[in-house]
Amino acid sequence: MASDRKVMDDNIANDEGREKPKSSGNATPFYDDLHVKYISTLATKLDSPTSYEGAVTEHLRMSGVYWSITALSLLRSPEEVDKMMGLTSQIRSNGAESSAKQRPSIVDWVFSCYDSLTGGFGGNVGHDGHLLYTLSALQILAIADMLDDPRLDREAVVKFVSELQQPDGSFAGDEWGEVDTRFSYCALSALSILGSLPERGEKGGVIDVRKAAQYVASCRNFDGGFGCVPGAESHAGQIFCCVGALSIAKSLDLMDVDLLSWWLAERQCDSGGLNGRPEKQADVCYSWWILSALSIMGRVPWISTVKLGEFILKCQDDDDGGIADRPSDMADVFHTFFGIAGLSLIGYLHDVGSTESDEEKSRKECYRKIDPVYALPTDTVQKLGLKAQVISHGIGEQNCAVIDDRLQIYDVLDGVNTNKK
Ligand code: GRG
């Protein structure tokens, strides 16, 4: 059982409320090249007809591709990602010479997963449209700068997403009707990426944003956290979805920021890793789910980012690359993405320390940052002009965070104006 003791006391905050990056002396290094190799060769492994991993993840391949492309995009330039992954043009699959074959580009493959009957994208070719994979598909197209591709039937996708809104403001994932706050996030993010999200309170828009936000707020618990439906246990994954959805809906005033930030900070275990709810084990993926929410709320300094960074680095596979859920487990692309994204959000991939070599410094300068609301490279979000809201707590308050530079494009809500009821 993981200990839930707080480690905040060990924080060494600098003038901006962020911990000073630790000297990289004896610390575990970040295995940049190994991770790039791991991600860029993954498709060949998963496509193999004998791959167990490929078979069990077949239904969610669209999200797997999004995790791979986004992780690689944080480490390499768009041109390199395109070349390595065949994002917009075909590449030869790099298996043995005899089995090498031409693969469609990722963008072509995304369009082959479009389900014209529903208007949404499926998790793989021939699958029914679902909100989860529709968002992943749009995120891949956004990264590939292909949202203007004539094959994207924007009107049909907007109709698919908006018709999933229920009378109480919630969203079903597909025609079968399961409701979950994950789908509220997916719907709001997808419509925003498509430039079709109405303003909160706007009449006659494709969805009712005010109702969508009120439904999310109705999933708020006594501990400040959120669950998948009203009354369901608070869980860090759902909290990302709810905070992200409220941010996109510009409704962060519906949260109790201090109570929620406290609950999230309590998720840090002695190992430095974060768990998703009390008495559970730390897992690298919560580095993303929790840090993104804390980033939006301007509360990242409420955890020890140094200890979290050390935990993530210990979960790397130092032979074959990739990141696992916890040290010594097997790496997978889900944890690789959320581990790299977590290292980006705490500044580890971007802040330059005095002991780093010139090579490390120039590498860090090339890393792209990730946006905590849309989970896309910050420059992609900026280029699309996506909108959201973040919280600032004012300069001078103890442990306050100045707004992360990646969030400077968003509307700012003063932290004192948040609902404590
Ligand atoms: C664009 C990043 C992005 C996401 C899209 C699908 C989605 C929106 C969000 C998923 C949020 C979520 C519910 C994440 C949790 C995933 C996870 C590790 C679940 C495991 O839950 P348990 O209960 O594990 O098996 P614990 O850690 O509680 O033991």
Side-chain angles (χ1 to χ4, degrees):
M1 191 171 64
S3 163
D4 227 6
R5 184 153 10 111
K6 282 183 58 53
V7 291
M8 210 176 101
D9 296 343
D10 298 335
N11 277 3
I12 323 156
N14 64 15
D15 295 345
E16 295 178 340
R18 288 202 9 215
E19 284 177 275
K20 289 175 187 145
K22 245 183 162 180
S23 139
S24 61
N26 295 323
T28 313
F30 176 65
Y31 299 118
D32 172 289
D33 289 330
L34 284 180
H35 297 321
V36 167
K37 190 167 167 226
Y38 172 81
I39 298 165
S40 58
T41 54
L42 196 64
T44 310
K45 287 183 211 142
L46 295 180
D47 283 349
S48 157
T50 57
S51 165
Y52 172 76
E53 228 187 318
V56 296
T57 58
E58 195 259 358
H59 65 290
L60 50 78
R61 190 58 53 85
M62 185 68 79
S63 295
V65 170
Y66 154 70
W67 300 326
S68 314
I69 294 291
T70 315
L72 198 59
S73 294
L74 299 182
L75 305 181
R76 293 293 181 270
S77 69
E79 296 71 29
E80 287 170 294
V81 173
D82 198 2
K83 208 167 149 201
M84 277 190 259
M85 301 292 278
L87 191 52
T88 60
S89 52
Q90 289 192 344
I91 54 163
R92 247 177 130 64
S93 131
N94 51 358
E97 196 58 35
S98 56
S99 65
K101 58 175 191 232
Q102 206 77 11
R103 272 209 312 261
S105 77
I106 286 177
V107 166
D108 288 346
W109 176 82
V110 166
F111 283 114
S112 71
C113 296
Y114 180 64
D115 173 22
S116 57
L117 282 180
T118 60
F121 287 84
N124 210 326
V125 181
H127 292 214
D128 294 347
H130 194 287
L131 259 182
L132 287 175
Y133 308 115
T134 299
L135 175 59
S136 294
L138 294 174
Q139 287 169 314
I140 296 166
L141 296 178
I143 292 176
D145 198 14
M146 295 292 273
L147 283 166
D148 289 334
D149 191 301
R151 289 170 290 180
L152 180 63
D153 188 343
R154 285 170 166 263
E155 220 174 286
V157 179
V158 169
K159 189 166 178 284
F160 168 73
V161 176
S162 51
E163 286 184 354
L164 288 169
Q165 189 171 35
Q166 308 299 302
D168 64 358
S170 66
F171 280 85
D174 62 11
E175 59 180 315
W176 302 106
E178 183 196 8
V179 162
D180 188 310
T181 44
R182 282 178 304 156
F183 309 145
S184 299
Y185 171 80
C186 291
L188 290 165
S189 180
L191 291 177
S192 179
I193 290 172
L194 289 169
S196 298
L197 188 72
E199 290 292 324
R200 173 179 166 179
E202 184 182 322
K203 298 249 180 300
V206 292
I207 62 161
D208 186 329
V209 174
R210 190 189 296 277
K211 262 191 165 179
Q214 278 164 351
Y215 176 78
V216 170
S218 75
C219 298
R220 192 177 105 187
N221 293 317
F222 69 93
D223 53 19
F226 295 85
C228 52
V229 289
E233 181 189 4
S234 296
H235 187 288
Q238 305 295 149
I239 289 171
F240 158 75
C241 295
C242 292
V243 175
L246 292 175
S247 165
I248 296 171
K250 300 203 187 157
S251 302
L252 291 177
D253 55 305
L254 300 180
M255 301 193 306
D256 184 334
V257 175
D258 284 348
L259 188 61
L260 174 56
S261 302
W262 179 254
W263 190 89
L264 291 172
E266 285 284 324
R267 306 278 59 76
Q268 190 155 33
C269 303
D270 283 350
S271 62
L274 306 174
N275 64 16
R277 46 195 167 138
E279 305 304 333
K280 298 290 256 176
Q281 279 193 291
D283 179 323
V284 157
C285 74
Y286 296 113
S287 312
W288 167 265
W289 307 120
I290 291 177
L291 277 172
S292 54
L294 287 175
S295 302
I296 294 168
M297 296 189 290
R299 292 296 199 204
V300 172
W302 282 29
I303 61 163
S304 168
T305 52
V306 167
K307 289 193 172 185
L308 177 58
E310 286 167 1
F311 175 80
I312 300 173
L313 293 172
K314 278 188 201 144
C315 296
Q316 299 176 105
D317 182 327
D318 54 6
D319 285 325
D320 298 323
I323 302 177
D325 54 356
R326 48 191 76 99
S328 306
D329 279 0
M330 203 172 99
D332 61 73
V333 67
F334 177 83
H335 292 95
T336 302
F337 168 49
F338 291 116
I340 292 172
L343 289 173
S344 172
L345 287 180
I346 59 174
Y348 175 90
L349 292 183
H350 313 291
D351 296 344
V352 175
S354 54
T355 57
E356 274 150 333
S357 66
D358 287 346
E359 195 195 333
E360 281 170 327
K361 281 182 193 155
S362 56
R363 202 158 242 189
K364 282 191 166 187
E365 273 161 24
C366 296
Y367 288 150
R368 291 162 83 193
K369 292 188 173 179
I370 186 156
D371 178 272
V373 182
Y374 288 97
L376 287 169
T378 310
D379 54 299
T380 302
V381 169
Q382 287 169 352
K383 194 168 173 201
L384 290 170
L386 302 187
K387 298 194 172 79
Q389 185 182 48
V390 293
I391 292 179
S392 155
H393 298 278
I395 307 296
E397 191 188 328
Q398 195 193 7
N399 263 337
C400 85
V402 293
I403 297 172
D404 188 321
D405 60 1
R406 64 191 100 197
L407 295 171
Q408 276 168 355
I409 51 170
Y410 296 135
D411 288 1
V412 178
L413 178 70
D414 187 332
V416 295
N417 289 333
T418 49
N419 185 356
K420 302 255 160 84
K421 279 179 282 177

